[in-house]
Amino acid sequence: MAELLTTWFIPGKMHYNYFLELCSLVFMVAIVVAYYSRKKFPTAVFKLFGVCLISVTVTISFDILSCYLLDHTDVVPLAIVEFVTEMLYFSHMFCSYLIFAYIFYSIGKTLKFEPRYYLTIIPTAIATILIFTNCLHHWIFDFVEIGSGAYDFKHGPAFIVLYIVAGLNLFSTILYAVTFRNTIPKKLLYVLLSIIGIFLIAVIIHIFQPEHLLYGVVYTMSMMFAIITVNDPDEKVDRISKAFNNEAFVDYINTQRTERQRRHFIVFDIESFGMFNEKFGSLYANEVLSSVRKFIESVNKTTYIFKTHSSRFVLLMRNREEQTQMVAAIRHRFSSSFNVKDKSIILTINLFYFVNNDIFDNTDSYKDFFTRILPTINFKDSNFIELDETFMNRINRDRRIKEILEQCLKEQRGLYMVYQPIYDVGKKVFNHFEALIRLDNDELGYVGPAEFIPIAEDSGLANEIDYFVLNETCAFLERNPQVEILEINISCAEFFNNPSYRFLKVIKEHNIDPKRICLEITETIAVKYPEKTKEFMQDLGQYGVQFAMDDFGSGYSNIARFITLPFSIAKLDKTLLEESKNIKIFFDSAVNLFKSLGIPIVIEGVETETQLATSKTKKIEFIQGYYFSKPLKEEDLQKFLVANKMA
Ligand code: C2E
Ligand code: MG
Ligand code: MG
């Protein structure tokens, strides 16, 4: 121990062995050149790592220089030796701080307003001041004359402070990494712990054998280790197109709040890409992707280009102007052919652009955007679409409605049924009713089913809504035996996956005659899934459940297919009541068609005396509309029926 302290505080004239340091320096320079010549996704983490590499190189240079100067104090002015040594200690200090900052950024925090941050910055600042004022107090290091104009280096009484501060920085780094061990990438945590281990070994060796300069070797090893394991820029680059890959894009999404805000997006898919792959082979297809990337780069070098999907490019720009220019350039370029490997091809793309206001806030919303919202964008009219504020607001509203629906279904609150009487012209009574769902919410107010049912269908909630509706309506039928037939809307997108016995089970639980239930199926669904619809209708039909064809006349009307299904009622859409010559012709032919098939008709949306008269003249059997009544809550419906002498 005594020997150790002697070596520590009063070293004899030492001849430093800095051969290893020189080798490390050569390596570090090569690493820095290689790192900066590679394409990198410019996150703060990558930038910070670049700073780390440079700082380490500078530190090693100062280490070598200061040792060399210490060996030549007889010829070099002492002030220069002192300054270089100060720089050496400062850069060591700075490196330990940088490692902390690197971990901090990797977890996705900014360096502001974090109490733990001060645990590193304050001691580092104190140490820096001590280092640069050393010439005044010589607390950190000093020189002792050893004759013939030469000096030797001597640690000052406060030299230990540097070790304490470096230790504190290290401690904060570990503390931070351990606190956020669930957020920090596992690989990074292991790399960090290994590097710290190597450093500790180097410190111990240095204490016992100070003449061997090992820090450069340790720094170089650590940096190479970090590049290979966690900081390889190539991992974020798509090998084929040389654009950034999906991983880089997810990085952007996760760290965008800490990055400089770039929020102007262009997204496009190459439509016929699968065909190129199949027809000309993957090498050719890869070349196509490369040409597209090169073209984008030629328009604007500062654009971040990601290839997030087989043939989907996402471009990220700094401002509106750049975005507009890029859209125009793409539009122009893709209207003419690309020459790829002696072939000339036209690439069709579907492109949309927007300013991101929180749809790409986190990975969930970004996935949601591509899986749920993107397929709803209609490229039929134009291949270039701007998703403007209205569109974005709709997206946000849709998302909120989905959350509210989930909550309502979970808590069984906010959703309820209303019932609209339907007039039987022949019997002059209200014996049919349509059940319609309602959603009332404190935040959004009234949301109509025409808005929330499609959202429910897209987000897998339709099934639950169907069962909610079925339970509510069966209970209603049980309480109101005077209701002959209740028409119930069901969300067809999902119901095929439900075996019909689940429907029957609910009906049985409420002890209801299935003949009182008439399920409404829309024309669009029946035409889209004719086989499944038929199966479902036949299954339930044999128990007496009836079916109404809803909204006839509002869609494509593949009548031939539609009429082969066992419907017992046809509901004509309210748009057929419009005062237009062509619609009137269609209306008449629809009425004739159902009359000749012997299917009774309900006309929806009758509001005026004239519409009522028209419906009666056409001998339509049932009339539904505000003319008689709006959809009513159960208690109001009972009052309505009393007033109309039905109860
Ligand atoms: P739908 O099945 O065609 O329902 C008729 C719609 O017309 C209802 O709108 C009703 O309130 C409205 N209506 C009735 N008479 C008149 C009138 O005279 N004038 C006008 N302008 N409108 C009238 P609502 O309740 O907003 O429902 C819209 C659509 O949402 C429904 O169209 C149906 O497709 C769907 N829907 C409603 N309730 C449910 C449900 O419980 N489950 C499912 N899956 N879908 C539902
Ligand atoms: Mg309906
Ligand atoms: Mg309808």
Side-chain angles (χ1 to χ4, degrees), residues 38-310:
R38 272 149 91 189
K39 185 182 173 114
K40 285 177 296 300
F41 184 58
T43 55
V45 170
F46 271 121
K47 283 183 198 154
L48 205 58
F49 191 72
V51 178
C52 284
L53 290 180
I54 292 175
S55 311
V56 162
T57 315
V58 170
T59 308
I60 298 174
S61 311
F62 277 126
D63 205 10
I64 295 168
L65 189 62
S66 80
C67 291
Y68 179 82
L69 295 180
L70 277 176
D71 276 349
H72 298 84
T73 41
D74 47 344
V75 282
V76 183
L78 207 54
I80 295 180
V81 185
E82 184 154 15
F83 175 71
V84 170
T85 313
E86 282 174 4
M87 286 307 289
L88 167 68
Y89 287 133
F90 169 70
S91 49
H92 268 307
M93 205 71 345
F94 190 60
C95 280
S96 74
Y97 166 73
L98 277 180
I99 293 179
F100 168 77
Y102 178 80
I103 295 296
F104 216 98
Y105 265 99
S106 299
I107 301 167
K109 307 270 163 194
T110 41
L111 281 179
K112 287 169 208 142
F113 313 117
E114 243 296 325
R116 251 169 297 213
Y117 170 56
Y118 295 103
L119 195 63
T120 58
I121 193 76
I122 294 173
T124 308
I126 294 173
T128 308
I129 295 170
L130 278 178
I131 291 169
F132 286 116
T133 52
N134 188 65
C135 56
L136 304 175
H137 47 65
H138 292 118
W139 291 345
I140 303 293
F141 63 89
D142 204 353
F143 299 103
V144 276
E145 201 168 352
I146 50 170
S148 9
Y151 288 86
D152 197 11
F153 173 86
K154 176 178 166 263
H155 287 116
F159 184 78
I160 197 85
V161 170
L162 303 191
Y163 273 86
I164 294 172
V165 173
L168 257 178
N169 285 351
L170 207 67
F171 173 73
S172 315
T173 313
I174 297 174
L175 182 73
Y176 210 78
V178 171
T179 318
F180 288 91
R181 62 190 171 283
N182 295 326
T183 327
I184 191 173
K186 278 277 157 309
K187 232 165 69 181
L188 179 59
L189 190 67
Y190 298 141
V191 169
L192 178 75
L193 293 178
S194 321
I195 290 177
I196 289 171
I198 304 173
F199 261 94
L200 287 179
I201 295 170
V203 170
I204 293 167
I205 296 177
H206 184 72
I207 289 174
F208 287 100
Q209 308 250 302
E211 71 275 20
H212 293 297
L213 300 176
L214 279 180
Y215 288 127
V217 179
V218 172
Y219 272 131
T220 314
M221 273 167 61
S222 308
M223 291 295 131
M224 277 179 70
F225 190 34
I227 287 188
I228 294 166
T229 48
V230 285
N231 236 305
D232 182 1
D234 287 351
E235 273 187 13
K236 312 280 174 183
V237 176
D238 174 57
R239 272 185 302 126
I240 296 167
S241 63
K242 298 277 180 290
F244 295 120
N245 59 17
N246 196 46
E247 212 177 300
F249 189 59
V250 172
D251 268 2
Y252 163 78
I253 303 270
N254 287 332
T255 55
Q256 58 177 321
R257 293 205 177 282
T258 56
E259 303 292 331
R260 223 181 306 128
Q261 300 277 305
R262 280 186 180 234
R263 308 183 76 83
H264 292 74
F265 280 88
I266 296 177
V267 181
F268 64 90
D269 279 302
I270 303 174
E271 248 196 348
S272 36
F273 188 71
M275 187 270 289
F276 294 124
N277 239 331
E278 253 171 46
K279 214 168 163 189
F280 306 120
S282 58
L283 279 180
Y284 181 80
N286 294 350
E287 200 62 38
V288 170
L289 294 174
S290 261
S291 327
V292 171
R293 193 259 312 153
K294 279 180 200 152
F295 160 69
I296 304 290
E297 258 172 14
S298 72
V299 179
N300 185 337
K301 277 207 164 45
T302 63
T303 302
Y304 296 171
I305 312 169
F306 302 92
K307 187 173 92 62
T308 59
H309 194 248
S310 64

Side-chain angles (χ1 to χ4, degrees), residues 416-418 420 434-438 446 448-454 457 462 465-466 468-469 473 488-492 520 522 550-551 571 573-574 577 604-608 611 624-631:
Y416 60 93
M417 303 306 295
V418 288
Q420 188 174 29
E434 178 169 5
L436 295 155
I437 196 164
R438 293 288 175 262
Y446 171 74
E451 184 177 9
F452 73 78
I453 292 289
E457 285 173 352
I465 292 194
D466 279 349
F468 170 82
V469 171
T473 49
I488 304 169
N489 297 281
I490 46 171
S491 290
C492 304
E520 294 195 358
T522 57
D550 199 3
D551 299 345
K571 300 192 74 170
D573 195 69
K574 52 182 168 283
L577 287 170
E604 300 184 297
V606 170
E607 291 181 358
T608 63
Q611 289 170 337
Q624 175 180 2
Y626 295 167
Y627 178 80
F628 291 115
S629 166
K630 291 206 163 182

